[in-house]
Every structure is written in structure tokens, then in C-alpha cells.
Amino acid sequence: MSIPNIITLGRILLVPVIVWAIASGQMKIAFVLFVVAGVSDAVDGFLAKRFNMASELGALLDPLADKALLVSIYVALGIWREIPLWIVILVVSRDIMIVSAVIVSWLFGKPIPMKPLMVSKLNTVAQVAHAAFVLAALGFNFEQTPYKYILMGFVTVFTLVSVSLYLKEWVRHMSTIEAT
């Protein structure tokens, strides 16, 4: 168990604490913990690359931690009506579609290589920025408009483009399976 993996596990353990903070209306705490989770993501990535501590476990845990954090925050903020439900559904559905495609590929004995697209990285940045902005605005009582709409626009566009490109790649990959 390497230091980056321990940091990633810590980030996973922060998820229910952040959700608790949101559910309890403790938005300053939720924001600070979200920032801590973001910094820990940067630190574990830096350590893994810089000191050659990358591992297969880390390659699986890191995106899992990112998705658990973002999906949980979007769902919690959606339940509290701080993020429109359609954005929550869009963000969560994208991840469900991607995970489902990977599972179907494995079931057909044709696993698809998992390599993040640039638009997917931009999508993650947009989702993180949007969630952080909403948490900060709620925690520190400042007006969200018009910035929340701009960030929601970025999340929407990058999510739709990302899922479209992954779906296109998945269909191309799976179309080589012969009918029996």
C-alpha cells in the first residue's frame, strides 16, 4: 500500500463526511473538505508520478474516488435543490453509461481500454469548479448568478460531448464482435 493509495483511500473516506456536511447545512465545512479532497487528488497524483509510486490499485482507486466524490456531491446538492435536478441526472447518467459500457464490454470478452479523453478531463474540471462554486457560495453567502449559469453551461456541454465521444468509441469497439 503506497502513500498515494493511502491518500486516495482518505479521499474516499471524506465522501460521506462531505455529504453529511451538505445534509446538515454545514456548507463551509463541506467546501473546506471538498478543497482538501481536491488537493489530496493533486498530491497523490504528483507523488505517484514524481516518485514512481504508480500502481494498478491506484489506477483503479483514483478515478473511483473522483467519481464517488463528484457524484455524491451532485446528488446531495440536487436533493437540497442547490443544483438543478437535470444537471444531477446528466452528470450521474454519464457515469452510469460509461461504467455500463465497460461492464458490457467485459461480459462479451472484449474489454475496452480505459483512457480518459481530453474532453473528459475538461468535464471533470467543469464539474469540480461548479460544485466548488456552489459550495463556496452557500458557505460564504455570496450571489451565484450569473456564474452558476456559466458553470452549468460548461458542465452540460462537456458532459454531453464526453458521453457522445465515449459512446461512439464504444460502438466502434463493439462492432467488431461477430454475431453467433
Side-chain angles (χ1 to χ4, degrees):
M1 184 65 68
S2 67
I3 293 171
N5 290 349
I6 292 169
I7 293 170
T8 302
L9 286 172
R11 191 162 71 254
I12 292 170
L13 293 174
L14 274 180
V15 170
V17 179
I18 295 170
V19 170
W20 164 84
I22 292 169
S24 301
Q26 303 294 320
M27 298 304 180
K28 283 182 188 172
I29 293 171
F31 173 73
V32 168
L33 292 176
F34 186 68
V35 169
V36 167
V39 169
S40 78
D41 189 22
V43 168
D44 73 43
F46 171 78
L47 291 174
K49 289 178 182 138
R50 176 77 167 100
F51 297 104
N52 199 25
M53 294 180 175
S55 67
E56 280 188 51
L57 178 62
L60 293 172
L61 283 181
D62 191 62
L64 175 69
D66 294 343
K67 289 302 156 196
L69 181 65
L70 283 172
V71 166
S72 297
I73 287 175
Y74 271 77
V75 168
L77 289 171
I79 289 170
W80 285 92
R81 304 277 192 230
E82 299 298 345
I83 289 180
L85 291 178
W86 67 267
I87 287 274
V88 175
I89 292 166
L90 184 65
V91 167
V92 173
S93 295
R94 174 197 172 269
D95 290 340
I96 290 171
M97 283 188 256
I98 291 171
V99 169
S100 297
V102 168
I103 291 170
V104 168
S105 298
W106 285 342
L107 290 174
F108 277 91
K110 196 158 172 65
I112 189 163
M114 293 303 300
K115 53 184 188 257
L117 303 172
M118 178 53 74
V119 71
S120 186
K121 292 178 181 191
L122 293 172
N123 182 48
T124 300
V125 168
Q127 288 180 6
V128 167
H130 180 237
F133 179 78
V134 170
L135 289 171
L138 293 169
F140 299 100
N141 297 317
F142 61 83
E143 180 58 39
Q144 294 184 39
T145 337
Y147 305 106
K148 74 176 180 179
Y149 296 113
I150 294 167
L151 290 169
M152 283 178 8
F154 283 129
V155 169
T156 301
V157 168
F158 288 136
T159 300
L160 291 172
V161 171
S162 172
V163 76
S164 297
L165 291 175
Y166 277 123
L167 183 59
K168 178 183 167 192
E169 178 60 27
W170 181 78
V171 167
R172 186 196 63 71
H173 177 79
M174 295 302 287
S175 68
T176 60
I177 295 177
E178 294 182 25
T180 54

